[in-house]
Each structure stands twice: as C-alpha cells, then as structure tokens.
Amino acid sequence: MPNQLNDHIVKSYDDERSRLINEILRMGEMAAAQLESALDVVERRDDKAAERIIANDEAIDALEHEVSQDVMKLALRGPMARDLREILAALRIAADIERIGDYAANVAKRSTALNLAPPLPHTRGLTVLGQLAVRQVRDVLVAFRTNDAEAAQRVRDQDAEIDTVYTSLFRELLTYMMEDPRAITPSTHLLFMAKNIERIGDHATNIAENIWFLVHGDEALPPRDKRDETNTVS
Amino acid sequence: MPNQLNDHIVKSYDDERSRLINEILRMGEMAAAQLESALDVVERRDDKAAERIIANDEAIDALEHEVSQDVMKLALRGPMARDLREILAALRIAADIERIGDYAANVAKRSTALNLAPPLPHTRGLTVLGQLAVRQVRDVLVAFRTNDAEAAQRVRDQDAEIDTVYTSLFRELLTYMMEDPRAITPSTHLLFMAKNIERIGDHATNIAENIWFLVHGDEALPPRDKRDETNTVS
C-alpha cells in the first residue's frame, strides 16, 4: 500500500476517533448541565424550566445514537487492542451518560409534582447530594478526556460520600413523614429524586470502571464497598 | 487461502458466536430465576434465602465479564454488518441483564428490612408486578434466541402493563402510609422494590430494542408512550 494512502487511512481513523471522543464529552457535559438545572429548578419551584429540562433530554438520546453509529464505523476498520477497547468502552460510557440524562430529567419531572405541595425543608439536602453527583460526573469526564485511570479510580472512591449523604437524607425524610402525614406524598417524591441522584453516582462509577478498562485492559480494579445503606433501614 | 483453513476460521467464528449467544441466554435465565426467587422470598419472609439470592448475583456479574471478553475476541476478527451489530447488541444486552440481576438482588435485600416489621397486605401486589416482569424477561430472551424482532416489539409494547400495575401499587402504598404512620418505613421499602421491578421492565424493553437493532439495523422502531406515571402523582 502506498504510504500516502496508508497515512490517509490512519488520519481518517484518528479523525473519526476524535469525533467519537468529542461526542461523548459533549454528551457528558450536557447530562451534567441537565442535572445542575434540575437542582436549580427544584429550589426555585419553576415548572416551566422543568419542562424545558425534560424536553432537552432528547438531545442527549440523539447523541447516544450518533455515538453508536460512530462506534460501528470505527469497528468496521478492524481496530486492535487498545483501539478496540476504546470503542467498546465508548459504547458503554455513552449508555451510562444517557441514563444520567434520564435521571436528571426525572428529577425535573418529579419537581413539578413536588410543587403541588408546600415547600419541604429537605430540598436543601437534595441540592447538596445533587452537587456531589454533578462533581462526580464532571470529574469522570476529565478522567476520560485525559485517559487518566488513576483519576477515574478516585471518582469511583468518592462515590461512598454520595451514598452516605443519600442514606442520611433517606432517614431524615422517613422521620419527617412519620411526624406529618401531609408530608408523605411530597417526601416520597423527594425520596425517589434522591435515589435518582444516588444512581447518577453509580453511573459515574461505571464510567470510571470503563476508563480503567480502556487504559489497563483486564487488569482488575481493587474491590470496593457498596453503598446504598437504605436497603436495610428499619 | 486454502478452503480448509477458510472453513476452519468460519467454523470457529460460528463456534465463538454460539458461545456468546449461549452465555447471554444463560445470564438472562439466571436473572429471571433470581427475580422469581426474590418474589418468593418476599412472600415467605425468608432472610436466609434472601442472603443466597444476594450472593448469587456475583455469578451474573462474572458472566457479563465473560460476554465482554468474547465480544472483544469476536470484534478482533473484523465482523461486518449484521455480525458486527450482533456483537455490539450482545454487549449492551449483557449490561441490561446485569442490571436486571442487580435489581432482583435489591428486591431480596430490601425484603430483609421488610421482615423487621409486621407483614403488609401489599406484598401480594408486588408479586403480581414481579411476575409480569419475569414474563417480560423470559419473552425477550426467546425473542433474542430466535432473532425475532416482531416478538421483541411485542415485549416492548407489554411494558405499559407493568407501568400501569406499578402506578396503581404506588398510589395504594401512599394511601396506606397516610392511614398508618407505622407502615411508613416498610411501605417505603415496598415502594423501592416496586420501582426496582418497574426498572426491570425498562431493561427488558432496552433488550427488545437491541434485538430490533441487530435484526433491522438502523430502521427506526415505532415510537411508544412512556410510562412511569408516579412522577406526577400528587
């Protein structure tokens, strides 16, 4: 094969690869921004803004579709070893980001139900939890952009903090419901919103594990404790 | 290339492909069986059996890892068109089954918290919901085994039934909590268990969509309404 043609093919793989990486980073930033907006909407009790967040989720879904197309194209070029791991990791990371977007939209959706009742003091706790999750998502995106498996591992370790805050919010909400039956319905929505955010942390962790896989292949990550302690709250 | 060698390579691709399909079917059946056992454990209030279900989840996770390895191996052979779609679909389907297994284990885990309080009448409703989800999972596995995109589409359409049953159970549980504050903690666990099962239905739907993709490529599935109506319960 003449060198020029070879160069052209290699360049074109790199171009398509950059396109894929950028799509994922854009998708991830959109999901993080959606979650930030959703938290804001909960605090401001703004139904109109909530509707916009719910509508925006489609753009993330559309990007996931593009990622999946681009992975197909790159796979047809017969990549080996690290390149192959990268596109398979990309496919899984895009699926995790799509779920993060869904959960953010869900927080916005439930906020409209929350706004039918008087404000609860616990929305503040939800914001704190949500901000931790926003940071996790942004940190894991940086780890992905810089191929930094150690940074990814730190994101994974930080998930324990989200779980702790989630569990304490869960307990508080239960106590509150017992004190005032009128708080039961809105508190239940808050419980589910908190759970959505805790799940976002789990998806950031999945992404971190995929970054580890794409950098180190099958070398195992150190085990770690899980996590949502509310399973056994009595 | 001599024909014999060519035959050998082709045969070997088919062998590895069958292995992959069988791993996914085994994984799927394990997840369906885990959910069945979890429902049984909820009814029988059997903590020991719940522990076994939680421990069994590791076997599903291990199979997902094998699937991911086998997808890598097959991808290195440079499959085209349908073969390539098949292995990418396999990777995503395995991730969905892994999540179904997690949710089933979660139902078992929460049942141990439920057993700390007197039995609630609503566990029966949870069983009904769970049986619908078990059927969805088994039906979508048959669609996968037989490459039947139309059967997959029917599974996807049936998800609405799960959503309806889930929404009505959600409303019942809220009413119950308002009537009796002592029911709040166990009912909250039941709410989350119901949500886990509703999510299993969503993952069966994802699998159905991946079957459609592997058979028909990018041809769009007809749109469909979503779904969890509890977001807006007031």
Side-chain angles (χ1 to χ4, degrees):
Chain A
M1 194 184 291
N3 254 344
Q4 218 185 331
L5 180 56
N6 201 8
D7 279 2
H8 175 72
I9 288 175
V10 171
K11 182 169 182 315
S12 172
Y13 187 93
D14 283 346
D15 285 351
E16 283 185 32
R17 178 186 169 277
S18 306
R19 194 182 125 95
L20 176 69
I21 306 282
N22 284 329
E23 275 165 0
I24 287 183
L25 291 171
R26 204 157 76 239
M27 236 186 123
E29 183 42 42
M30 281 166 74
Q34 283 275 91
L35 177 56
E36 253 177 346
S37 307
L39 296 171
D40 189 48
V41 148
V42 173
E43 294 236 12
R44 289 193 292 108
R45 297 170 68 86
D46 181 342
D47 285 356
K48 281 267 176 255
E51 297 294 336
R52 280 198 299 276
I53 295 168
I54 297 162
N56 281 346
D57 188 43
E58 269 182 33
I60 299 180
D61 295 351
L63 262 176
E64 192 202 5
H65 189 71
E66 274 181 51
V67 166
S68 151
Q69 303 276 72
D70 287 347
V71 165
M72 288 280 287
K73 269 189 235 159
L74 286 164
L76 285 170
R77 289 156 163 280
M80 304 289 234
R82 196 190 176 293
D83 284 340
L84 178 59
R85 288 205 306 275
E86 184 174 70
I87 62 171
L88 296 184
L91 196 70
R92 290 199 279 221
I93 289 172
D96 280 307
I97 295 175
E98 189 268 334
R99 293 296 309 144
I100 291 173
D102 277 357
Y103 284 121
N106 225 321
V107 169
K109 201 166 177 184
R110 283 202 190 262
S111 79
T112 62
L114 214 55
N115 295 347
L116 299 168
L120 291 186
H122 301 85
T123 52
R124 188 67 216 142
L126 192 81
T127 307
V128 172
L129 182 68
Q131 280 161 346
L132 288 174
V134 169
R135 198 190 64 196
Q136 289 282 89
V137 173
R138 293 232 164 92
D139 286 352
V140 87
L141 290 172
V142 171
F144 176 68
R145 183 166 52 75
T146 55
N147 278 304
D148 188 338
E150 279 63 39
Q153 206 190 329
R154 282 195 298 277
V155 171
R156 180 171 169 265
D157 290 340
Q158 281 161 19
D159 192 40
E161 195 182 343
I162 293 189
D163 295 336
T164 306
V165 174
Y166 166 68
T167 302
S168 103
L169 183 60
F170 183 95
R171 285 176 189 275
E172 263 179 60
L173 282 165
L174 279 191
T175 312
Y176 197 64
M177 287 157 93
M178 288 178 208
E179 284 164 7
D180 181 2
R182 285 165 308 174
I184 289 177
T185 301
S187 299
T188 301
H189 288 300
L190 270 180
L191 280 176
F192 276 98
M193 290 155 91
K195 184 69 191 170
N196 285 337
I197 294 173
E198 187 265 344
R199 294 287 304 132
I200 289 176
D202 288 348
H203 285 283
T205 301
N206 287 350
I207 295 172
E209 290 172 355
N210 272 294
I211 295 168
W212 183 274
F213 161 77
L214 88 84
V215 174
H216 291 295
D218 245 357
E219 203 179 299
L221 263 159
R224 135 195 109 103
D225 290 340
K226 189 48 202 149
R227 139 214 192 124
D228 167 1
E229 304 282 325
T230 66
N231 287 314
T232 48
V233 165
S234 59
Chain B
M1 194 185 294
N3 254 345
Q4 220 184 330
L5 179 58
N6 202 8
D7 280 1
H8 176 71
I9 288 175
V10 170
K11 183 171 182 312
S12 172
Y13 187 94
D14 283 346
D15 285 351
E16 283 185 32
R17 178 186 169 276
S18 306
R19 197 183 121 96
L20 176 69
I21 306 283
N22 284 329
E23 275 164 359
I24 288 184
L25 292 171
R26 204 158 76 238
M27 234 185 125
E29 181 43 42
M30 280 166 74
Q34 284 276 90
L35 177 57
E36 253 178 345
S37 306
L39 297 171
D40 188 47
V41 148
V42 174
E43 294 237 10
R44 288 192 294 109
R45 297 169 69 85
D46 181 343
D47 284 355
K48 282 268 175 253
E51 295 296 334
R52 279 198 300 276
I53 294 169
I54 297 162
N56 281 346
D57 188 43
E58 269 183 33
I60 298 180
D61 295 351
L63 261 175
E64 192 202 5
H65 189 72
E66 276 182 49
V67 165
S68 151
Q69 302 277 71
D70 286 347
V71 165
M72 288 279 286
K73 270 190 234 159
L74 285 165
L76 285 169
R77 288 155 165 280
M80 304 289 236
R82 195 190 177 290
D83 283 339
L84 179 59
R85 288 204 306 274
E86 184 173 70
I87 63 172
L88 296 184
L91 197 69
R92 290 200 279 221
I93 290 172
D96 281 308
I97 295 174
E98 190 269 334
R99 292 297 310 147
I100 292 174
D102 277 358
Y103 284 122
N106 225 321
V107 169
K109 201 166 177 183
R110 283 203 190 262
S111 78
T112 63
L114 213 55
N115 295 346
L116 300 167
L120 291 185
H122 301 86
T123 51
R124 188 67 217 142
L126 191 81
T127 307
V128 171
L129 182 67
Q131 280 161 346
L132 288 174
V134 170
R135 198 190 64 197
Q136 288 283 87
V137 174
R138 294 231 163 92
D139 285 352
V140 87
L141 290 171
V142 170
F144 177 67
R145 183 166 52 76
T146 55
N147 279 304
D148 187 339
E150 279 62 39
Q153 207 190 328
R154 282 194 299 276
V155 170
R156 181 171 167 264
D157 290 340
Q158 281 161 19
D159 192 40
E161 195 183 343
I162 293 190
D163 294 336
T164 306
V165 173
Y166 167 68
T167 302
S168 103
L169 182 59
F170 183 94
R171 286 177 188 275
E172 263 180 61
L173 281 166
L174 279 192
T175 311
Y176 197 63
M177 287 156 93
M178 288 177 209
E179 284 166 6
D180 180 2
R182 287 165 306 173
I184 289 177
T185 302
S187 298
T188 302
H189 289 299
L190 270 180
L191 279 176
F192 276 98
M193 290 157 90
K195 183 69 191 171
N196 285 336
I197 294 173
E198 187 267 342
R199 294 287 303 131
I200 288 177
D202 288 347
H203 285 283
T205 300
N206 286 351
I207 295 173
E209 289 171 357
N210 272 294
I211 294 168
W212 182 274
F213 161 76
L214 89 83
V215 174
H216 291 295
D218 246 359
E219 203 180 296
L221 263 158
R224 131 196 112 101
D225 292 337
K226 190 47 199 149
R227 128 220 203 117
D228 167 0
E229 304 283 326
T230 66
N231 287 314
T232 47
V233 166
S234 61

